Amino acid sequence: MTETRSLVLERKGELALREIDLPSEVGPNDVKIAIHTVGVCGSDVHYYTHGKIGPFVVNAPMVLGHEAAGTVVEVGSNVTNLKAGDRVCMEPGIPDSNSRASRLGMYNVDPAVQFWATPPVHGVLTAQVVHPAAYTFKLPDNVSFAEGAMIEPFAVGLQAAQKARIAPGDVGVVIGAGPIGIMIALAALAGGCATVVIADLSAEKLAIAGQYPGIVPVDIRSQNVKDVVDGITEGWGADVVFEASGSPKAWATLLDTLRPGGCVVVVGMPVEPTPVDWSLASTKEARFETVFRYAHQYPRAIQMMGSGKVDLKPLISDTYPFEKSIEAFDRAVEGRPTDVKIQITMPS
Ligand SMILES: [Zn+2]
């Protein structure tokens, strides 16, 4: 353990920049990474404002942050795929590689997964972290640290797109233009959708999403999503509908926009159990998929960003130095509609 200056959530509503004991021992299969950039995620903000997410409760001081990129500074004796100096980003969840879920290829739903900044596991708003090499990925030269720290939320979008089994020329709908909604829309386009309709009631968020060719923003205060989708598909409906708002209200009309035999991908998590019109779902033979984080998406995300197929830079709203990270969090708490992603950079 080493005392390191970190951004610590002391308890609900209280952040501090202070020294805290963190693991520093590099095991044979680990690498040590000097953190460069960390994105502030909705979950970090929620732990700050509410002290818990579902069953995960902050009962002890915890370092925040899980969307990170940096530079390898040390590698364990068994590590052959990475070396000191490599620029990397890291998957924040470490499963038990021998668990039944991992052996099935679904390591993201391993009940034993240890995920950064999910109590009681410390996050990465600190100078250096130790991480398994297997969950550490090299960045291409043309992908910046800032973009590398965007891979984590983009991986959720790719998981949703893959679960949808998009075919070339599909028409998609995304309900909710928050950071994850926009990531899903971009992943769906890159994954083959011809057009993605994105619906929200924030004109600012829709304007950010709508700057990408292929994304059609719909303001639900003045427009009906079904009318827009019917216009694009001659009344047939969307091939895939992604629910990314977490709003129970969205479910009241969600299936109206889906074509017969289409797929609903559930990404947003309503806080309360939410009714679904199963009769309508059955008459359409709708397929339902759910998404929990992601598995095997980092290499795909990195390929897409390296090839220039996806540009996430316009989604980085502002960057704060580490010493101002409490300010960065208070800005994120404000939830400005023009903000998609706030990032924090560590002193080099
Ligand atoms: Zn995140």
Side-chain angles (χ1 to χ4, degrees):
M1 304 285 258
T2 308
E3 286 264 304
T4 316
R5 190 165 166 81
S6 309
L7 180 69
V8 181
L9 178 60
E10 304 284 6
R11 59 185 66 78
K12 175 183 156 179
E14 188 185 335
L15 290 171
L17 278 172
R18 67 163 169 96
E19 304 273 308
I20 190 169
D21 250 349
L22 294 176
S24 56
E25 194 84 1
V26 179
N29 299 308
D30 293 336
V31 293
K32 188 184 277 183
I33 302 125
I35 299 290
H36 185 287
T37 301
V38 181
V40 177
C41 182
S43 68
D44 296 311
V45 174
H46 203 87
Y47 283 121
Y48 177 31
T49 54
H50 291 74
K52 61 176 179 168
I53 295 179
F56 297 101
V57 182
V58 180
N59 290 319
M62 178 180 80
V63 177
L64 288 174
H66 64 257
E67 303 177 357
T71 305
V72 173
V73 292
E74 192 183 329
V75 301
S77 52
N78 292 344
V79 175
T80 54
N81 61 323
L82 292 166
K83 58 181 190 316
D86 281 348
R87 300 163 63 258
V88 292
C89 66
M90 294 75 79
E91 232 182 277
I94 310 170
D96 168 0
S97 56
N98 290 317
S99 71
R100 193 159 177 175
S102 295
R103 285 182 287 117
L104 282 166
M106 305 163 67
Y107 63 87
N108 54 321
V109 292
D110 176 10
V113 72
Q114 300 265 305
F115 200 92
W116 282 339
T118 300
V121 182
H122 286 302
V124 295
L125 274 160
T126 189
Q128 297 191 333
V129 295
V130 176
H131 204 57
Y135 295 90
T136 303
F137 302 87
K138 216 177 148 180
L139 293 172
D141 292 341
N142 62 338
V143 174
S144 65
F145 288 117
E147 293 172 276
M150 296 290 274
I151 299 265
E152 199 273 340
F154 186 56
V156 178
L158 285 177
Q159 181 85 355
Q162 190 169 357
K163 283 287 188 93
R165 296 183 223 144
I166 291 165
D170 273 356
V171 173
V173 172
V174 179
I175 308 297
I180 293 296
I182 296 176
M183 296 293 174
I184 294 168
L186 293 174
L189 278 177
C193 275
T195 302
V196 176
V197 171
I198 190 163
D200 204 287
L201 40 68
S202 160
E204 293 90 342
K205 289 180 180 171
L206 290 168
I208 293 166
Q211 68 189 307
Y212 288 97
I215 296 186
V216 178
V218 172
D219 190 329
I220 57 171
R221 293 169 305 179
S222 57
Q223 281 173 291
N224 182 302
V225 183
K226 179 174 164 46
D227 289 347
V228 175
V229 173
D230 282 350
I232 294 169
T233 63
E234 298 176 339
W236 172 237
D239 300 285
V240 52
V241 177
F242 299 93
E243 203 314 288
S245 72
S247 162
K249 269 193 190 162
W251 283 95
T253 52
L254 191 82
L255 293 167
D256 297 341
T257 57
L258 188 72
R259 73 159 167 86
C263 178
V264 175
V265 183
V266 187
V267 187
M269 292 187 180
V271 285
E272 298 292 337
T274 300
V276 173
D277 185 346
W278 291 108
S279 301
L280 181 54
S282 296
T283 53
K284 291 193 176 192
E285 283 206 340
R287 176 166 61 90
F288 283 78
E289 297 282 353
T290 53
V291 164
F292 184 64
R293 296 171 180 157
Y294 38 76
H296 313 290
Q297 300 300 346
Y298 266 55
R300 293 172 185 280
I302 291 167
Q303 288 292 349
M304 280 194 168
M305 289 171 78
S307 72
K309 182 117 178 153
V310 172
D311 180 11
L312 303 179
K313 292 189 290 295
L315 304 179
I316 301 166
S317 311
D318 209 345
T319 306
Y320 287 73
F322 177 63
E323 287 303 316
K324 289 189 173 172
S325 44
I326 297 175
E327 254 176 67
F329 268 78
D330 287 331
R331 159 95 171 258
V333 170
E334 279 179 49
R336 296 183 195 174
T338 45
D339 283 349
V340 181
K341 181 60 67 183
I342 307 284
Q343 292 188 329
I344 295 169
T345 49
M346 304 306 295
S348 48

